[in-house]
Each structure stands twice: as C-alpha cells, then as structure tokens.
Amino acid sequence: MRKKLLCVALATTMVAGLLAGCNTSSGNSTADNSSDNSGDTTENSGNAGGDSEITGEITVLTNRTDILNTDLARYAEEFQAKYPGTTVNFEAMEDYEGDVSTRLSTGDYGDVFFIPNTIPTNELADFCEPLGTVDELSSTYTEAYLYAKQSGGTVYGLASGANVSNGIAYNKKVFEDAGVTELPATPEEFLAALQKIKDKGDCANPYYTNTHDAWAISQWEGCTHGMDGDADYINNKMANESDPFSEGKPHYVVYKLLYDIVDQKLCEADPFTTEWEGSKTMIAKGEVGSMVMGSWALSQFQEAATNADVDPADIGYMPFPVTSSDGNQYVSASTDYAYGININSSNKATARAFIDYMLLESDYSKKQGTISIVKGSALPDTLADFEGAEFVIDAPATAENEGKWDEVHNESELGLWTGSDYQIELIEAAFGNVDKDFDTLMGEWNERWSAALDSVNGN
C-alpha cells in the first residue's frame, strides 16, 4: 500500500518549529537529588559550561506536559544519580511559544529551555549561550542538524531530535476498509481517499483538523518544505519572494488541500471544538482516518492504541501527497525544538551537562520516535520504511539572507509556525463562517508578506 519514495539529501540545514507533544496538562516536576548515589562525569561537547563543577540546581523549561511526571521525572532522577549534588526541576507549559516568548525580556526562562521560534536567527546570541561551532560539534552530531539554531557558524541550540515534517499520520485499517489500496500521491488522490472513507460510513472523521488546539494547524507549515526537492526554497528564495502564496507555489498547494478538506466536509463536524488528547485515541480506534502531523506524533498515537487495546501497527505514516515535477515524492526532515542554555543562567555547566545527557545517553529520541541528531544513530521504528534513506533538508541561508526569513515572517505577523489567526481564518472561511474564498485569503497573505519584505529591505 506504499508507493516508492525518492529521498534525497540536498543540503545541510532545516527550519526548526514542529511543535512536538503540545498536550493538555501543565505543571512543575521536581526530583530530589540523589546525593548518596555516585556517577561518572563526561566531558561536555562544546564550550558552554567550560570546566566548572557540575552541581547545584537547574530549571528546565519544556512543552512536554504529557510526559512531565513519567519520562521527564525519570530523566531527572537518572541525571541526578549520575551527578550527585544536582537537582533538576522541570517546568512544563501548554502555550510554550507564547509563555516563553513573553518571559524572554525578563531573563527568567530557566537554565535549559527549548528555544522558541520567535527568536530570529540573528538574535540567538542575545538569549542563548554558545554551545560550540558547527565544526567542533559535527564530530559528535550530524552536521545537517546543527544549522537549526546557529548563526555565523556558532551553534546556540542542539535539536532534541528531528522529524519527517511533510507527512500524514493515518489509520491503515480505515484506509484499507474503505478500499484505498495505494497511498495518495497528489492532493486530488488524497481528497478522493477521504471521500471513500466518508462514503463507507465507518469512520466519523476521515480527517481531523484539531483546530481548537491551534498549534496543530502549524503542522501544515512543515509540509511546505522540501517540495520538488528544492532545499534552497525557504531560506534563500521565499525570504526574497514577494508572492510566495501564489498558485502553484508550495504554500498555495499545501494550504489549498487543508481548505478543500474542510470545504468538502471531509473533516470533523465542528473543527472548532476539537481536543488533542482525545484525538490520539480516536485515530488509534479508527474514529479518525488521518491527521497532518510531524513524525514525532507516531509514538503517541501508537501508545494511545495500546491503551485502547487496539493494534498499534494500524497507525501508519504517509508522505504528504504531492508529486514533484520530476515525478517523484520527496521527504523533508526538520528539527524539533532545540535545547538552549539561558545566557543569564548561573549554572551553565550543569545546564550543559544535562543537554549532553539528554542527547547522548537518555532514551528520549527512541521513546518519542524522533530521529536522533547523534552521528550514526538508527532511524526510529516509526520510520522503518525510511531506513537508509536521506532527506531533503532546508539549506542554510547565505550570509546576505541569514535571519531574513525570520525577519520577514515576524514582520508579516502571519504566524505560520504558531497556528495563527490567519491560519484559523482559512479554516473558518472553508467552513463557511467567513465570506472569503481561498484565492482571496492567499492574496491577503501575499500582501502581508510583500509589505513585510519591503520593510525589511528598507523600502
């Protein structure tokens, strides 16, 4: 049921921003230190922390509210056992991007934090401690993944993992029972598959938008990367393009599919009252057919299947249904949130040791089904079909374009990685609550982007 994919490595960077694991409960978790246990110390890779003693207390900010009291608590305990005299406090939050972005101006954003996407590349040094250069760190980590949060060759954030960003989670049994025997390779084929599922009548929601949890809409933005295998498009072309939302261009193609799904009533009856946690069980049980999500979500859907006593093997992951002009489908990889060290931290050595532990020793990547950034690591089981493949990875911005996409994007206020009001308006319009057609919306997005580009260019 799977079409052959052509996966190519075209460059050495990517845009961070998949919001893995945004869940419903928030809070703090503090694990007491284990001063009676002993553990070795390992040399930190990079510069942050230097040769200072690894001891004392650190606070780690995270978006992973779902594993706060389970895996994260265990990692704190393991780290404290390795480094007696340390204490790790996790602070988890639902609206991670918004909450942390607000706190940046106060200097109070923990010791270790996931770097929010609101920090432009050329401002990373204002908030984050340097972790080393790309050259230094590439002996330990896959170089392609080091460009997510770097500026001028200095790395300020190490990705917690990488994901396939242009994919769709789906229930294999739902598709097969509806007679969909071959994975869709075009938007038209995907819409036809959803219509078959709807006509069969066994699945309440052929597609699930999760609109109420607005961050879920931002997952569609990941699908605009790597289209046609063009690794330079985002950072070096779109950053200078006045009309990136015009017909035929990646953003038009991707968001038109979302619009059509809602317009053709192939999604939930009311997209505005959805619930993320519940949707995990729904897709596991076959009440939802598909969802656009980064590959990070697969492990959560499979866990939901286990808890619901259905077969986790029913959860699959298909490439975003676009066939390039050369007749191939490309698979894009992008980094998840990157660990950074607060430049104001008073315990940078312990903060750096914790990042090294999470990336080099913990089972976080394996448990979450993400691609480890450590050199030589195997792909997770959830991506078994991609074993041995190479991915299209966004090329780094040239010197003259460094930080420009961020600047234009922020100036436009479109919020493509946040589930913004503009993205929600698109769904409202498709649903019939806003009197605008798709081309009108894209015209407005083009106007905002063009004006932002002019402003950044000083025009």
Side-chain angles (χ1 to χ4, degrees), residues 12-13 45-49 113 115 121 123-160 335 338-341 343 352 355-356 359 373 402:
T12 55
T13 194
S45 32
N47 297 327
F113 71 117
I115 300 173
T121 300
E123 295 180 17
L124 287 170
D126 296 336
F127 301 97
C128 308
E129 186 74 8
L131 303 180
T133 67
V134 170
D135 287 344
E136 291 166 347
L137 294 167
S138 62
S139 63
T140 302
Y141 301 105
T142 302
E143 183 176 337
Y145 300 130
L146 295 175
Y147 290 94
K149 295 297 178 185
Q150 68 83 40
S151 179
T154 298
V155 176
Y156 293 93
L158 288 170
S160 56
T335 51
Y339 294 107
I341 297 176
I343 197 169
R352 181 53 187 272
I355 293 175
D356 289 343
L359 294 175
I373 71 169
E402 184 169 304

Side-chain angles (χ1 to χ4, degrees), residues 142-272:
T142 302
E143 183 176 337
Y145 300 130
L146 295 175
Y147 290 94
K149 295 297 178 185
Q150 68 83 40
S151 179
T154 298
V155 176
Y156 293 93
L158 288 170
S160 56
N163 304 283
V164 171
S165 58
N166 58 340
I168 302 177
Y170 73 108
N171 187 299
K172 296 177 184 178
K173 190 172 187 302
V174 167
F175 274 65
E176 290 168 356
D177 288 350
V180 182
T181 57
E182 194 172 68
L183 288 183
T186 66
E188 294 75 20
E189 289 178 5
F190 187 71
L191 290 168
L194 296 186
Q195 188 63 55
K196 284 185 177 182
I197 293 170
K198 181 178 181 179
D199 293 343
K200 184 74 163 49
D202 296 334
C203 176
N205 311 280
Y207 183 84
Y208 201 75
T209 67
N210 255 313
T211 301
H212 183 264
D213 293 279
W215 65 265
I217 306 304
S218 73
Q219 300 293 282
W220 284 79
E221 182 61 20
C223 298
T224 66
H225 292 245
M227 196 173 293
D228 277 338
D230 188 353
D232 267 310
Y233 179 69
I234 297 296
N235 291 323
N236 293 309
K237 294 181 181 177
M238 183 180 175
N240 294 291
E241 200 169 28
S242 62
D243 62 340
F245 306 100
S246 297
E247 187 171 1
K249 295 185 177 181
H251 284 78
Y252 187 101
V253 172
V254 167
Y255 286 104
K256 181 64 161 62
L257 179 56
L258 172 58
Y259 183 94
D260 287 343
I261 288 170
V262 179
D263 181 51
Q264 296 177 27
K265 304 296 185 281
L266 298 172
C267 62
E268 63 270 44
D270 183 0
F272 311 104

Side-chain angles (χ1 to χ4, degrees), residues 77-151:
E77 291 173 359
E78 291 175 359
F79 179 80
Q80 292 163 170
K82 179 178 178 64
Y83 297 105
T86 61
T87 300
V88 177
N89 304 310
F90 280 101
E91 183 180 348
M93 52 201 76
E94 292 179 38
D95 181 16
Y96 187 86
E97 283 281 307
D99 290 348
V100 177
S101 297
T102 299
R103 290 167 61 170
L104 290 174
S105 62
T106 69
D108 177 21
Y109 45 97
D111 297 285
V112 176
F113 71 117
F114 281 147
I115 300 173
N117 297 307
T118 51
I119 300 179
T121 300
N122 57 2
E123 295 180 17
L124 287 170
D126 296 336
F127 301 97
C128 308
E129 186 74 8
L131 303 180
T133 67
V134 170
D135 287 344
E136 291 166 347
L137 294 167
S138 62
S139 63
T140 302
Y141 301 105
T142 302
E143 183 176 337
Y145 300 130
L146 295 175
Y147 290 94
K149 295 297 178 185
Q150 68 83 40
S151 179

Side-chain angles (χ1 to χ4, degrees), residues 14-18 117 148-149 334-338 417:
M14 64 210 66
V15 173
L18 297 184
N117 297 307
K149 295 297 178 185
S334 62
T335 51
D336 208 327
Y337 270 129
W417 281 111

